Amino acid sequence: MDLKKEVVFGGVAAAPGTKNQGWCPIPGTDCVLPVTVVNGAGEGKTVLITSAIHGCEYPSIEAVFRFAETVDPAQVTGQIVIVNPVNVDGFLTRTPYLVPRDGKNLNRLFPGDPEGSLGDRIAWVLTEEFQKKCDFHLDTHGGDIPESQFSYAYYPGVGEYPEALRIARESADYVLNAEFVVKSAAINHAYNYATLIGIPSLMLELGQTGTWSEEEVRQYLENIENVLRWLKVLPGEAMKRQKPVRDITRGVYLDAEASGRWYPFVTREDTVKAGQKIGEIRDLFGKVLKEYYAEFDGIVLMVTVSLAVREGDPILSYGA
Ligand SMILES: [Zn+2]
């Protein structure tokens, strides 16, 4: 006899075989997160899906909106918990990268701080109320308004839980539309932090420069649903990606060391050679403030294409 119970995430409860949507408060603030809890009819894994940790990465955000609206609890084995948009203010105010109220990049704040500013508190709630109650975390991104990039699956590359790292890496093979699979050495991003505490995770990137299309949303949904099939949370056979992709295991992620004018000398289609000049930042009178050179031979994964750049913002990444 199946005695599946009600589940509660961030204060939003759902009875077995039902879906419920509601708001999760961020203590000490007036901010609330939109949460969808899908409690499947049968027992199975709990998968957390997040989007809009960066508020303007639209193909992912729209795909996750549609998934939350259409997913049928009768088709779900286990639980799917969706938080989208995580950075509500960033989404509504069209602010790239940052939480508008504190100017912080939410995806550098994990595991967060319950006494910190809004971004720290959102990260804390996401960690405590959601990640720690899940078996897998799928975080969805894309190129933000100033970014041109490929489609990737990022998998966590550091941590003390080899089984979580193995599952994370294997799940990347089920992201059908990835052009690159990239091992990450970061620790304070949402998905990396999940795996640091033993929960396998994956970060998807698709789309760029503040645009979105039906085709990108379709591809994004295909990726999400295929990973959910691989996790046995949705019915049907998961397809392993057939298209060979490069597995990038060494990456450089450059952040601007000054505010001003950004001139990249490469595009995302380019390969770079060790020692090659790849970009520079100039001040508002044209004086060169910072110059950037490739450390090794590789391929450009992401390049910021906006003329204006602010200190601390991503400007270029390449890998091999
Ligand atoms: Zn992002």
Side-chain angles (χ1 to χ4, degrees), residues 33 48-58 60-61 64 83-91 95-100 104-110 119 122-123 126-127 131 137-142 144 188-192 202-203:
L33 304 184
L48 172 63
I49 302 175
T50 48
S51 196
I53 280 181
H54 295 140
C56 308
E57 300 172 348
Y58 297 131
S60 62
I61 300 168
V64 176
V83 185
N84 178 39
V86 175
N87 180 356
V88 184
D89 291 352
F91 174 70
T95 305
Y97 308 125
L98 306 176
V99 175
K104 293 180 180 174
N105 182 341
L106 180 52
N107 215 25
R108 303 290 183 274
L109 300 178
F110 284 80
I122 292 173
L126 207 64
T127 301
Q131 282 185 331
H137 181 190
L138 183 63
D139 189 26
T140 64
H141 289 248
D144 214 314
N188 58 357
H189 301 198
Y191 75 109
N192 299 94
L202 200 56
M203 181 174 88

Side-chain angles (χ1 to χ4, degrees), residues 95-163:
T95 305
Y97 308 125
L98 306 176
V99 175
R101 280 191 233 180
D102 61 15
K104 293 180 180 174
N105 182 341
L106 180 52
N107 215 25
R108 303 290 183 274
L109 300 178
F110 284 80
D113 176 357
E115 305 298 326
S117 61
L118 179 59
D120 302 303
R121 289 173 191 237
I122 292 173
W124 177 259
V125 168
L126 207 64
T127 301
E128 296 297 318
E129 294 289 328
F130 296 93
Q131 282 185 331
K132 288 185 176 178
K133 299 178 181 178
C134 289
D135 302 302
F136 192 95
H137 181 190
L138 183 63
D139 189 26
T140 64
H141 289 248
D144 214 314
I145 287 174
E147 294 177 331
S148 169
Q149 65 166 28
F150 293 107
S151 166
Y152 325 94
Y154 274 97
Y155 62 95
V158 290
E160 303 285 311
Y161 294 90
E163 183 64 3

Side-chain angles (χ1 to χ4, degrees), residues 155-236:
Y155 62 95
V158 290
E160 303 285 311
Y161 294 90
E163 183 64 3
L165 291 165
R166 185 194 67 74
I167 293 169
R169 174 62 191 88
E170 191 176 346
S171 70
D173 290 337
Y174 291 83
V175 180
L176 298 173
N177 297 294
E179 297 166 279
F180 289 91
V181 169
V182 186
K183 182 180 184 175
S184 169
I187 56 169
N188 58 357
H189 301 198
Y191 75 109
N192 299 94
Y193 184 74
T195 300
L196 281 186
I197 58 173
I199 299 154
S201 64
L202 200 56
M203 181 174 88
L204 306 187
E205 300 251 14
L206 192 157
Q208 55 185 331
T209 56
T211 62
W212 66 278
S213 66
E214 287 296 330
E215 174 57 17
E216 288 168 325
V217 172
R218 186 195 67 73
Q219 288 187 19
Y220 228 120
L221 282 168
E222 192 170 66
N223 290 336
I224 292 168
E225 288 168 1
N226 199 48
V227 171
L228 290 173
R229 280 192 288 273
W230 181 73
L231 292 165
K232 309 269 185 244
V233 172
L234 287 184

